[in-house]
Amino acid sequence: MRRYFGRKLLIYGLTFFVAVTVNWMIPRFMPGDPVASMVARANITQPAAVEAMRRYYSGLFGFDQPLWQQYLNFWAALFRGDFGLSIWLFPHPVSTVIGGAVPYTLALIVPSVLLSWVVGNRLGAYAARRKLLDNTVLPVGYVLTAMPYMWLAVLLAWALGVLAGVFPVAGGYSFSMRPNWSWTFLLDLLHHWTLPFLSLFLVALGGWAIGMRNMIIYELESDYSNYLAALGAPARLIRKYAFRNAVLPQITGLALQLGVLVAGALVTEIVFAYPGLGSLILKAIQNKDFFLLQGAFLFIVIGVLIANFIIDIVYVVVDPRTRAGMAGARA
Amino acid sequence: MSLRVSELKVYYRTLKGEVRALDGLSFGLADGEILGLVGESGCGKSTLGKSLIRLDGRMRHAGGTVVLDGEELPIADDRRMNDYRFHQVSLIPQYAMSALNPTRKIRRMVTELLRSRGVTLDTAELESRMSQVGLPREVLDRYPIELSGGMKQRMVMVVSTLLDPSLLIADEVTSALDVSTQKAVARALLGFRDSGYVKSMIFVTHDLALTHHIADTIMVMYAGRLAEKAPADVIVKAPRHPYTRLLLDSLPEVGVRHTDRRLTGIAGSPPSLLDPPAGCRFRDRCPIAGEECAEDPPVAEVAAGHYVACWKA
Ligand SMILES: Nc1ncnc2c1ncn2[C@@H]1O[C@H](COP(=O)(O)OP(=O)(O)OP(=O)(O)O)[C@@H](O)[C@H]1O
Ligand code: SF4
Ligand SMILES: [Mg+2]
């Protein structure tokens, strides 16, 4: 067990290391003088700000220092939680800007991923045993998964937002409001959250339902199911086993899909101008804000790695075979 | 008589038509008898086994009856047949290695299975039967993945016979095992019969030599039909059907174990069961086939308990 998690941690550590290194390299190996072009593009008129920025960036890039020194400095800053200052929202530190966006992204991703997974699995399991349901779940599921995130988002925004006017189509909360802890504001938040959540939820739902349906059918035809049926076990018991065993590959699937889901969430945020990391990344690109971009990417990488690690742990808890394998099979 | 199968016909529905895997099979099995069932791959051995306990979705009961202990088994009625499964008829499947749910500890699986059949687990009895086949009781607290192939096989044997069925079908239980394990499994099956855990047994195998050791009678099947059935010694020493003789000839010396010696030594292959030819189904490969063989040979009792389906037997 220790060795298993040790190995996993090592892999995650390596991934993180590579991600940070690539992140460090991007602005440095871009053609041209990044400092000059950044300051120029920042479109800042106050001379004091321009001077501060130039000094700040030169110091941070540290072009007078050897490369390895720059690299080490980058790591040191990272561990202090220092991602530099945003160019677009100068002089706010990148970490503050990201910190403001992360809650929105998490509030979208976590419920939509978990709920679509749970509901999709249930739906798929029912579909596997009811012909009528199967005939609807399967085609609807295929249409949903085949749909790009952006598409469904635009469709929903148009239908429920513009045509029906039930939900707002942009922003995290109404422009007329200031964030506070009142019920009206929370309701407003929820109102704005619904459409982006729904489009993420629906696209992912189809995939999980189809995957589960196929896995269950496969499990119901497996040898242990046949054996139980031959011994007259009721369908209830057989289906219980099948569901339990079919969920395992779905957990692995969740880990594999995580990157896609996050990417989908970022795109969806942009469609709905939802103030999360996705919109932030778009703004950072538009404003050539390297530091913000770096920070946002690092944050996403860390988030995905952590989520993967959690899934790993869950998998070990629910699949006895991995545990048995780790203990070394006793013959 | 414990089991009486009469004119049993079971077909597989396929896209190309019906595969007549069992095409009018009749035989009997006495209380306490172990019947060895041999024949080439595809002759319908597993189909017979499944027909006696559970038809799968593609199988169709096309005729004939099965009577066990004086009661006709409703083999075509999945729901009614359920009462007989496990209690009266049980099965050690050909796929015993993968028959146990991989994500349940064995004790829990057995408990849940028994409870679903309205029986409470008698742990002492289970453990005593396990020790009879050389399984330590710790096995109950392991996952199937933690057992060797032979252990899984024996575990399935114990589970399948836990309710003391009247008839046990053991389908190729020894095929995937090495020689010494095969012997142990065969001995364990004999022990189960002698302890009264099962009344009678159909022991399906490719391996004539091994069958000879454990079976009282041997039935040779060919292309969905009975070719010959007789006491084990008679089949081995004085076979009357040309197919049985060829089977025996393909073994260098009966009574000696031949690892993985499969019944492959006969030239030609059995006819397609999709649209089997009229007449004796062995005709194409039979060295002594004659005019009369264009017609179906009936099963005749040539001596007491010795049945042969051949015009020239
Ligand atoms: N699910 C199926 N669908 C169609 N045909 C089948 C199916 N299962 C078996 N058959 C056919 O039925 C015939 C008998 O098959 P069966 O499995 O009973 O053979 P067997 O004697 O047990 O062979 P083996 O020794 O290889 O296990 C074969 O011709 C086979 O092709
Ligand atoms: S009936 Fe004819 S063809 Fe068939 S086994 Fe006998 S001799 Fe051969
Ligand atoms: Mg078979």
Side-chain angles (χ1 to χ4, degrees):
Chain A
M1 185 84 82
R2 261 255 206 72
R3 266 192 48 213
Y4 176 80
F5 279 112
R7 214 172 41 225
K8 282 279 180 193
L9 272 178
L10 187 74
I11 292 172
Y12 288 135
L14 268 177
T15 315
F16 181 64
F17 174 78
V18 171
V20 169
T21 306
V22 169
N23 230 336
W24 170 80
M25 278 171 13
I26 290 171
R28 246 153 279 251
F29 294 99
M30 298 273 287
D33 176 359
V35 176
S37 61
M38 265 192 284
V39 173
R41 280 169 190 153
N43 263 339
I44 294 164
T45 41
Q46 306 142 273
V50 170
E51 196 40 44
M53 269 178 88
R54 174 179 298 286
R55 243 183 298 117
Y56 177 78
Y57 287 130
S58 302
L60 198 92
F61 280 111
F63 286 123
D64 46 334
Q65 292 172 334
L67 267 182
W68 63 267
Q69 183 82 48
Q70 296 177 29
Y71 184 62
L72 286 186
N73 289 346
F74 186 75
W75 274 101
L78 192 71
F79 280 119
R80 287 193 308 269
D82 175 8
F83 295 95
L85 297 184
S86 165
I87 297 169
W88 168 50
L89 292 174
F90 191 83
H92 291 286
V94 165
S95 47
T96 318
V97 177
I98 289 178
V102 163
Y104 286 100
T105 298
L106 285 182
L108 267 191
I109 289 189
V110 173
S112 65
V113 167
L114 291 183
L115 274 177
S116 65
W117 192 81
V118 170
V119 176
N121 281 340
R122 284 278 151 206
L123 217 61
Y126 282 122
R129 53 188 253 224
R130 297 232 192 290
K131 197 105 205 123
L132 188 80
L133 197 60
D134 199 22
N135 288 340
T136 43
V137 166
L138 208 56
V140 172
Y142 275 122
V143 169
L144 284 179
T145 33
M147 218 178 253
Y149 280 94
M150 202 149 65
W151 242 70
L152 188 70
V154 170
L155 219 67
L156 282 179
W158 177 72
L160 293 180
V162 178
L163 282 193
V166 191
F167 291 104
V169 294
Y173 49 86
S174 303
F175 290 121
S176 56
M177 288 204 184
R178 309 225 111 244
N180 60 66
W181 285 108
S182 70
W183 281 114
T184 21
F185 182 72
L186 287 182
L187 272 179
D188 189 57
L189 269 183
L190 197 67
H191 202 205
H192 281 78
W193 169 87
T194 307
L195 277 189
F197 162 79
L198 213 59
S199 53
L200 281 175
F201 172 78
L202 285 178
V203 173
L205 183 73
W208 297 128
I210 290 172
M212 190 60 177
R213 170 196 175 270
N214 295 342
M215 280 312 303
I216 288 257
I217 287 176
Y218 173 83
E219 292 291 334
L220 287 177
E221 279 168 5
S222 70
D223 288 343
Y224 70 85
S225 297
N226 273 320
Y227 180 58
L228 288 172
L231 295 188
R236 192 168 20 87
L237 181 71
I238 299 172
R239 272 202 301 264
K240 187 171 120 189
Y241 284 2
F243 182 79
R244 160 83 196 217
N245 293 347
V247 155
L248 298 173
Q250 293 286 88
I251 296 178
T252 316
L254 187 58
L256 290 175
Q257 281 288 304
L258 221 68
V260 177
L261 293 169
V262 169
L266 299 184
V267 171
T268 306
E269 280 181 5
I270 291 173
V271 171
F272 289 99
Y274 202 70
L277 283 177
S279 303
L280 208 59
I281 287 175
L282 182 70
K283 280 283 187 297
I285 292 171
Q286 284 169 344
N287 293 289
K288 301 277 184 316
D289 190 341
F290 278 122
F291 291 90
L292 188 54
L293 206 55
Q294 264 186 353
F297 279 145
L298 266 183
F299 211 90
I300 290 168
V301 167
I302 294 171
V304 170
L305 287 181
I306 290 175
N308 256 306
F309 194 66
I310 293 174
I311 294 175
D312 272 342
I313 293 173
V314 169
Y315 195 87
V316 170
V317 171
V318 294
D319 188 353
R321 283 170 296 188
T322 45
R323 262 175 289 152
M326 275 183 264
R330 291 154 285 168
Chain B
M1 183 159 285
S2 141
L3 177 73
R4 177 80 246 167
V5 173
S6 315
E7 283 302 311
L8 185 61
K9 293 184 182 187
V10 174
Y11 301 163
Y12 287 99
R13 283 181 284 244
T14 69
L15 289 178
K16 280 184 258 161
E18 290 195 313
V19 176
R20 304 175 163 215
L22 285 185
D23 208 7
L25 182 70
S26 305
F27 69 94
L29 183 60
D31 278 346
E33 184 177 341
I34 296 184
L35 173 74
L37 179 57
V38 296
E40 278 164 302
S41 185
C43 71
K45 304 184 296 293
S46 296
T47 306
L48 173 61
K50 284 193 271 179
S51 302
L52 296 178
I53 188 160
R54 180 171 176 261
L55 300 180
D56 70 38
R58 280 183 294 184
M59 294 165 88
R60 184 170 77 85
H61 177 209
T65 55
V66 177
V67 177
L68 180 67
D69 298 330
E71 269 186 276
E72 183 174 343
L73 295 184
I75 61 170
D77 185 338
D78 189 58
R79 196 174 288 259
R80 279 210 298 138
M81 188 63 198
N82 226 35
D83 296 340
Y84 297 89
R85 295 183 184 126
F86 207 6
H87 291 282
Q88 311 296 327
V89 191
S90 195
L91 168 81
I92 304 174
Q94 189 162 359
Y95 49 81
M97 298 294 166
S98 50
L100 300 170
N101 181 0
T103 60
R104 275 281 193 276
K105 283 192 178 148
I106 288 163
R107 181 192 305 278
R108 181 141 175 232
M109 197 221 97
V110 175
T111 312
E112 288 175 339
L113 171 63
L114 287 182
R115 196 189 304 133
S116 80
R117 299 305 321 264
V119 181
T120 36
L121 173 64
D122 179 349
T123 310
E125 178 67 19
L126 175 62
E127 286 177 359
S128 109
R129 290 187 183 196
M130 285 170 66
S131 75
Q132 193 169 332
V133 296
L135 287 173
R137 74 159 72 99
E138 291 76 56
V139 164
L140 285 178
D141 294 306
R142 295 198 197 156
Y143 291 100
I145 191 189
E146 298 172 280
L147 307 186
S148 70
M151 290 167 95
K152 275 187 255 188
Q153 185 90 55
R154 279 173 284 157
M155 195 62 230
V156 170
M157 258 165 67
V158 171
V159 172
S160 291
T161 54
L162 212 47
L163 301 184
D164 297 347
S166 175
L167 173 68
L168 176 71
I169 301 142
D171 196 352
E172 309 248 10
V173 288
T174 54
S175 305
L177 305 173
D178 65 73
V179 180
S180 62
T181 322
Q182 283 185 347
K183 282 254 169 66
V185 166
R187 232 179 293 120
L189 282 175
L190 273 177
F192 277 15
R193 193 260 316 254
D194 296 340
S195 314
Y197 300 162
V198 299
K199 236 193 280 174
S200 45
M201 193 185 306
I202 297 180
F203 181 82
V204 179
T205 179
H206 284 280
D207 190 332
L208 242 175
L210 185 72
T211 326
H212 180 218
H213 286 302
I214 99 154
D216 306 308
T217 34
I218 293 179
M219 177 159 83
V220 181
M221 277 181 68
Y222 188 78
R225 293 196 169 163
L226 185 147
E228 184 166 14
K229 175 175 178 286
D233 273 340
V234 176
I235 286 281
V236 170
K237 300 210 178 88
R240 302 280 287 268
H241 196 287
Y243 177 59
T244 316
R245 291 199 198 126
L246 285 170
L247 277 185
L248 286 162
D249 287 348
S250 69
L251 296 173
E253 196 189 333
V254 172
V256 177
R257 276 283 324 125
H258 305 285
T259 327
D260 283 332
R261 178 78 206 194
R262 290 291 151 92
L263 307 177
T264 49
I266 306 170
S269 53
S272 155
L273 296 178
L274 255 180
D275 189 17
C280 177
R281 292 190 175 174
F282 190 52
R283 195 153 46 118
D284 287 348
R285 300 162 84 186
C286 181
I288 56 168
E291 286 294 312
E292 64 271 56
C293 306
E295 231 168 283
D296 262 347
V299 177
E301 187 164 13
V302 293
H306 190 167
Y307 302 86
V308 188
C310 170
W311 291 115
K312 302 198 174 178

